[in-house]
């Protein structure tokens, strides 16, 4: 038996190896990009996360976190932030302070309230779908712990906890410190899926933090008869899967190009 060297087949095999190498490189790049998605989410949403400043009736002060829902100044935060409030205003990430923030709507059962300030052209967040939230899901939280504005933390949805009163709490592992009540909890697509409001503190307790699902924010908006503008739908895939799909498409194109370059000329028509 004689083995005949075919340069076209040899080059094709080398091309296959190169294509698979490229695919693996793109796959690894996609993984790295997915890991750095917190940076993109933070950059996109930090302008819409604000500090809620409360001047209390007894002369004290209190602060929390909120985030803007509409360009004309509708803001959501935790209701307990406003306890004993005499006057409330908002501080934006650039240091600008608003006039008085007034209560627009509050939830009778959950720790949420809508505020309204006089404003135009504010940056806003995008609300996500509460039905897609699952334990183990990666999250990003932006808040103002101890008045340290735009602090970014990350973690997981630890569990979904139904309550006896019919409400639902999202247990999260992202750190939540004082003044972070009202912080938005983002999914991998940069959409708000919850609002941080409570932590279990004390000896032996670590990362026992809770958020209310975004459905409660939507209920408040409906109560106040506010309709948010419809945003373009993003494919329901996380960045890692999108990179895998794109890498495979590139690899397929390279394989087709090599095939036609080395074999198509031999085809008969």
């Amino acid at each position: 038996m004689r083995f005949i060297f075919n340069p076209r087949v040899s080059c094709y095999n080398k091309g296959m190896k190169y294509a698979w190498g490229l695919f693996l490189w793109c796959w690894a790049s996609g993984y790295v990009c997915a890991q750095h998605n917190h940076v993109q989410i933070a950059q996109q949403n930090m302008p819409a996360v604000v500090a809620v400043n409360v001047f209390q009736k007894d002369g004290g002060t209190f602060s929390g976190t909120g985030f803007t829902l509409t360009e004309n100044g509708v803001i959501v935060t935790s209701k307990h932030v406003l306890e004993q409030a005499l006057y409330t205003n908002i501080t934006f990430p650039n240091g600008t302070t608003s006039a008085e923030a007034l209560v627009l709507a509050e939830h009778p059962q959950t720790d949420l309230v809508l505020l309204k300030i006089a404003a135009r052209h504010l940056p806003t967040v995008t609300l996500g779908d509460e039905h897609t939230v699952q334990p183990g899901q990666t999250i990003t939280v932006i808040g103002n712990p101890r008045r340290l504005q735009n602090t970014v933390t990350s973690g997981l949805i630890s569990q979904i906890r139904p309550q006896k009163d019919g409400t639902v709490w999202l247990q999260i592992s992202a750190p939540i410190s004082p003044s972070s009540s009202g912080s938005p909890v983002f999914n991998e697509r940069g959409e708000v899926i919850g609002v941080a409001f409570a932590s279990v503190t004390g000896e032996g307790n670590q990362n026992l933090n809770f958020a209310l699902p975004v459905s409660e924010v939507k209920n408040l908006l409906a109560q106040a008869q506010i309709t948010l503008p419809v945003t373009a739908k993003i494919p329901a895939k996380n960045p890692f899967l999108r990179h895998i799909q794109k890498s495979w498409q590139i690899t397929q194109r390279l394989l087709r190009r090599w095939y036609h370059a080395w074999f198509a000329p031999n085809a008969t028509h």
Side-chain angles (χ1 to χ4, degrees):
M1 179 181 295
R2 290 190 306 166
F3 294 93
I4 300 175
F5 175 73
N6 188 330
R8 295 187 184 276
V9 174
S10 177
C11 290
Y12 177 76
N13 290 336
K14 290 181 180 179
M16 284 288 292
K17 292 179 180 179
Y18 178 80
W20 279 112
L22 178 63
F23 172 74
L24 292 175
W25 179 83
C26 293
W27 183 86
S29 299
Y31 178 79
V32 172
C33 289
Q35 295 302 305
H36 286 81
N37 200 43
H38 299 297
V39 176
Q40 299 171 2
I41 293 171
Q43 291 175 343
Q44 179 181 350
N45 292 285
M46 281 193 296
V49 180
V50 301
V52 181
N53 312 306
V54 177
F55 301 87
Q56 297 175 316
K57 297 175 183 178
D58 60 3
T61 61
F62 193 77
S63 67
T65 301
F67 52 97
T68 54
L69 298 172
T70 67
E71 293 184 353
N72 67 345
V74 176
I75 296 168
V76 64
T77 187
S78 293
K79 187 165 57 177
H80 75 262
V81 172
L82 272 65
E83 289 181 359
Q84 303 300 316
L86 179 64
Y87 179 89
T88 304
N89 66 9
I90 302 298
T91 299
F92 295 92
N94 62 4
T96 303
T97 301
S98 75
E100 184 175 9
L102 302 175
V103 174
L104 184 63
E106 58 182 276
H107 202 291
Q109 287 182 291
T110 60
D111 191 6
L112 285 176
V113 63
L114 290 183
L115 301 177
K116 179 68 174 69
I117 61 172
R120 292 186 301 172
H121 309 304
L122 293 179
T124 61
V125 299
T126 299
L127 301 186
D129 183 357
E130 62 275 11
H131 299 103
T132 64
V133 179
Q134 296 180 349
Q137 181 176 348
T138 300
I139 57 172
T140 306
V141 180
I142 305 175
N144 306 311
R146 302 293 184 183
R147 302 179 190 268
L148 297 173
Q149 205 155 358
N150 270 342
T151 296
V152 181
T153 59
S154 64
L156 302 173
I157 297 290
S158 301
Q159 192 51 261
I160 300 172
R161 305 287 183 189
Q163 304 299 302
K164 293 180 179 180
D165 61 0
T167 60
V168 174
W169 292 7
L170 305 178
Q171 182 183 338
I172 60 176
S173 64
I176 302 296
S177 302
S179 298
S180 288
S181 294
S183 297
V185 179
F186 297 94
N187 61 14
E188 301 94 332
R189 295 164 59 183
E191 300 167 332
V192 176
I193 55 172
V195 183
F197 77 100
S199 297
V200 178
T201 59
E203 186 177 354
N205 295 319
Q206 293 183 347
N207 290 340
L208 290 176
N209 308 304
F210 297 92
L212 293 170
V214 71
S215 57
E216 301 294 358
V217 177
K218 295 176 181 178
N219 291 339
L220 263 186
L221 289 169
Q223 178 184 328
Q225 297 183 337
I226 297 173
T227 302
L228 299 183
V230 178
T231 57
K233 291 291 184 180
I234 302 174
K237 293 182 181 178
N238 63 40
F240 173 71
L241 293 180
R242 287 200 297 270
H243 276 282
I244 290 294
Q245 184 181 43
K246 184 177 180 181
S247 301
W248 177 239
Q249 290 172 347
I250 292 172
T251 303
Q252 286 179 313
R253 292 176 185 176
L254 288 173
L255 290 174
R256 283 196 296 267
R257 178 180 296 180
W258 280 317
Y259 176 82
H260 288 296
W262 291 100
F263 290 92
N266 294 334
T268 58
H269 301 282

